[in-house]
């Protein structure tokens, strides 16, 4: 059912699904099936030739997953989405869909560690070079661009630095050259819509806030439908030259009758078909359950995190609080431009007592979970120097923004008094 509204609270509940036409069931059913009976041979042939869209095999598409895809596209203001088995699969596919051997991508240095590894090592081994640039100057993207640059990549609100990326500025540079900006918006769903600021593609780890309950690994790519791939045919050969893997289809032409969806259809019909990173229908269902309350949860995550940042800022044991509300200058201007005072739910801080204090603080927590995750409804904490960043040299840790006493909090939706009480007792126990 097409919904007129653009309000996320309503879309989160209604986009992509209303009720089952046969049973009247209101909750989306879990279509736990691998394959789908064709009406007849003509129907089967049409589906394979993309003359008609429909279900063939769950590796390539599933009705439960389809509801999730429609809902994500609606919430993001895009034209279509592709759900995948993890956020990692989403970022890999997002680039592999346009970059081939010998091509390059320019990416912000401020990335989730797993994405960094994928870009610096695995994609490199596959012949795709990722050039990392400091995002504080958008012109760095232009400087690293050459004729084989196929995409720009960044995260909206990367941790641990929590400095918001200049989406509109970099997207505009890319559009001069026919280069799409792909934005990982995992840490800021609802809070900002990168497509509205000129990004062409949005990537999510739905494992985090979107699923929201720490139950399901998943990812998604959302196509903004706002990028003219055809106009930049030389720059974007993957979408503009015959694809031998799909009987010579030129994607921008082959899917024209379906709308501006060449990018996302290609990702589904080639990469997902061949690499198989399909989301299970059950995980799609759980993610849909999460989305129903996403706008509501985000409000609470954000207000709790703001209160925590203010609380930590008053503690003598803490030398620095990392949260957009504590930033000044250009970083703060960006945070305000893109997040409009709702600065997300991640808060970092540095303990005066360094590494030992960080360790003690984590061990003393009673309510917060000590896990390598963000975006759960529960409050989470981690000490990067002894965990996620422990393989890096102290110098490399510092360059990513991790000092020995740095602690990252992903603030949940518990009662704020209980969150503050746990932080208070753990700070005391750390003797910091
Ligand atoms: N992007 C960001 C910003 C993340 O934080 C993560 C995971 O922590 C990922 C992508 C990868 O997602 P997944 O763990 O679902 O593969």
């Amino acid at each position: 059912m097409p919904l007129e509204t653009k309000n996320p609270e309503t879309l989160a509940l209604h986009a992509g699904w209303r009720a089952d036409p046969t049973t009247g069931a209101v909750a989306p059913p879990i279509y736990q099936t691998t394959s789908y009976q064709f009406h007849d041979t003509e129907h089967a042939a049409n589906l394979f030739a993309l003359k008609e869209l429909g279900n063939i095999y769950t590796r390539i598409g599933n009705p439960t997953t389809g509801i999730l895809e429609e809902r994500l596209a609606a919430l993001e203001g895009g034209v279509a989405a592709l759900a995948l088995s993890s956020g990692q699969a989403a970022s890999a596919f997002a680039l592999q869909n346009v970059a081939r051997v010998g091509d390059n991508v320019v990416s912000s240095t401020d990335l989730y560690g797993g994405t960094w590894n994928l870009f610096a090592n695995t994609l490199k081994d596959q012949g795709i070079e990722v050039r990392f640039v400091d995002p504080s100057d958008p012109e760095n993207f232009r400087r690293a661009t050459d004729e084989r640059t196929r995409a720009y990549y960044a995260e909206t609100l990367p941790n641990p630095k929590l400095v918001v990326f200049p989406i509109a500025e970099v997207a505009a540079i890319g559009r001069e050259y026919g280069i799409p900006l792909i934005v990982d918006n995992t840490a800021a769903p609802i809070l900002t819509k990168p497509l509205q600021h000129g990004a062409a593609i949005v990537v999510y780890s739905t494992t985090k806030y979107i699923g929201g309950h720490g139950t399901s690994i998943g990812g998604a790519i959302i196509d903004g439908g706002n990028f003219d791939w055809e106009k930049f045919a030389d720059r974007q050969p993957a979408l503009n030259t015959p694809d031998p893997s799909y009987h010579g289809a030129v994607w921008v032409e082959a899917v024209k009758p379906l709308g501006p969806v060449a990018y996302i259809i290609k990702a589904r019909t080639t990469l997902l078909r061949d690499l198989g990173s399909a989301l299970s229908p059950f995980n799609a269902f759980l993610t849909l359950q999460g989305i129903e309350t996403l706008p509501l949860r985000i409000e609470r995550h954000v207000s709790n995190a703001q209160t925590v940042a203010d609380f930590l800022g008053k503690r003598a044991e803490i030398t620095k609080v990392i949260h957009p509300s504590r930033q000044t200058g250009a970083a703060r201007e960006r945070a305000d431009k893109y997040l409009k005072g709702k600065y997300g739910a991640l808060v970092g801080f540095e303990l005066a007592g360094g590494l030992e204090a960080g360790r003690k603080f984590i061990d003393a927590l009673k309510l917060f979970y000590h896990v390598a995750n963000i975006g759960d409804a529960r409050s989470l904490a981690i000490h990067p120097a002894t965990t996620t960043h422990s393989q890096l040299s102290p110098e490399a840790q510092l360059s990513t923004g991790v000092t020995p006493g740095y602690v990252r909090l992903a603030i949940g939706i518990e009662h704020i008094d209980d969150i503050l009480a746990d932080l208070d007792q753990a700070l005391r126990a750390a003797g910091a």
Side-chain angles (χ1 to χ4, degrees):
M1 185 197 74
L3 280 175
E4 294 305 321
T5 183
K6 289 196 168 38
N7 294 318
E9 295 83 355
T10 309
L11 292 172
L13 287 158
H14 297 275
W17 178 259
R18 188 68 197 165
D20 186 89
T22 11
T23 63
V26 168
I30 304 171
Y31 287 96
Q32 195 68 34
T33 182
T34 56
S35 36
Y36 307 84
Q37 160 94 332
F38 303 122
H39 307 159
D40 50 36
T41 50
E42 190 191 349
H43 177 225
N46 282 346
L47 290 177
F48 277 87
L50 293 177
K51 282 189 191 152
E52 218 178 300
L53 287 183
N55 300 311
I56 298 176
Y57 188 62
T58 281
R59 171 155 37 79
I60 303 159
N62 171 280
T64 310
T65 309
I67 299 165
L68 172 62
E69 289 165 340
E70 227 181 288
R71 195 161 292 179
L72 285 170
L75 279 169
E76 209 58 43
V79 288
L82 178 66
L84 294 163
S85 57
S86 68
Q88 284 298 105
S91 34
F93 278 26
L95 294 189
Q96 288 169 323
N97 206 35
V98 289
R100 299 188 289 202
V101 176
D103 292 341
N104 68 72
V105 169
V106 182
S107 170
S108 164
T109 44
D110 296 352
L111 294 175
Y112 162 61
T115 312
W116 173 279
N117 234 327
L118 166 70
F119 288 5
N121 298 303
T122 300
L123 288 185
K124 184 176 165 206
D125 287 346
Q126 294 175 354
I128 298 170
E129 180 200 355
V130 180
R131 302 173 173 183
F132 296 99
V133 296
D134 175 356
S136 59
D137 180 1
E139 287 297 321
N140 286 338
F141 280 77
R142 189 195 304 277
R143 288 182 198 112
T145 299
D146 68 15
E147 71 284 354
R148 297 292 297 266
T149 305
R150 306 289 180 230
Y152 291 163
Y153 192 95
E155 288 180 19
T156 306
L157 181 61
N159 76 80
K161 291 180 190 160
L162 300 180
V163 173
V164 172
F165 182 78
I167 302 173
E169 293 82 345
V170 175
I173 294 171
R175 281 174 188 273
E176 287 178 35
Y177 298 95
I179 297 171
L181 172 63
I182 301 170
V183 176
D184 178 339
N185 201 40
T186 298
I190 306 294
L191 299 173
T192 193
K193 290 188 189 167
L195 299 176
Q196 284 182 350
H197 298 288
I201 307 293
V202 172
V203 167
Y204 277 109
S205 165
T206 59
T207 313
K208 319 295 179 193
Y209 295 98
I210 288 181
H213 298 81
T215 62
S216 313
I217 301 286
I221 306 175
I222 295 138
D223 188 340
N226 60 359
F227 194 83
D228 194 344
W229 303 98
E230 209 173 351
K231 181 173 162 199
F232 298 102
D234 292 342
R235 171 68 69 180
Q236 300 296 343
L239 286 155
N240 284 285
T241 50
D243 186 341
S245 89
Y246 219 97
H247 45 70
V250 175
W251 289 106
V252 292
E253 283 162 20
V255 305
K256 216 171 250 176
L258 305 172
V261 289
Y263 174 93
I264 206 76
I265 298 255
K266 175 181 179 287
R268 182 188 299 280
T269 51
T270 64
L271 291 172
L272 183 55
R273 175 198 63 185
D274 298 348
L275 300 175
S277 312
L279 185 67
S280 82
F282 187 61
N283 279 6
F285 172 80
L286 289 173
T287 307
L288 276 165
Q289 295 305 292
I291 290 183
E292 292 193 356
T293 56
L294 175 64
L296 208 54
R297 279 187 287 111
I298 285 288
E299 288 290 330
R300 180 61 68 87
H301 275 296
V302 166
S303 67
N304 278 353
Q306 184 64 60
T307 309
V308 166
D310 296 342
F311 165 85
L312 296 175
K314 294 187 193 119
R315 299 292 294 221
E317 312 93 322
I318 290 172
T319 51
K320 187 173 180 195
V321 177
I322 296 104
H323 184 257
S325 69
R326 319 282 301 179
Q327 293 163 355
T328 53
R332 178 59 180 275
E333 275 167 35
R334 272 175 200 153
D336 287 338
K337 173 173 173 183
Y338 294 107
L339 300 178
K340 305 225 165 14
K342 294 182 177 177
Y343 300 121
L346 301 173
V347 184
F349 64 91
E350 285 171 17
L351 286 160
L355 193 91
E356 210 33 52
R359 205 192 285 266
K360 280 194 198 151
F361 172 84
I362 295 282
D363 283 337
L365 289 168
K366 295 193 172 100
L367 180 72
F368 278 68
Y369 286 84
H370 178 205
V371 296
N373 194 20
I374 60 167
D376 196 305
R378 303 157 189 84
S379 287
L380 316 174
I382 198 154
H383 179 228
T386 52
T387 56
T388 50
H389 290 60
S390 57
Q391 283 95 355
L392 302 186
S393 67
E395 298 75 44
Q397 288 190 10
L398 277 182
S399 73
T400 66
V402 171
T403 57
Y406 181 90
V407 174
R408 182 188 76 198
L409 304 176
I411 303 300
I413 60 173
E414 299 94 344
H415 196 288
I416 187 62
D417 293 351
D418 299 321
I419 293 174
L420 296 183
D422 197 34
L423 292 173
D424 179 54
Q425 67 80 22
L427 283 172
R428 286 166 204 251

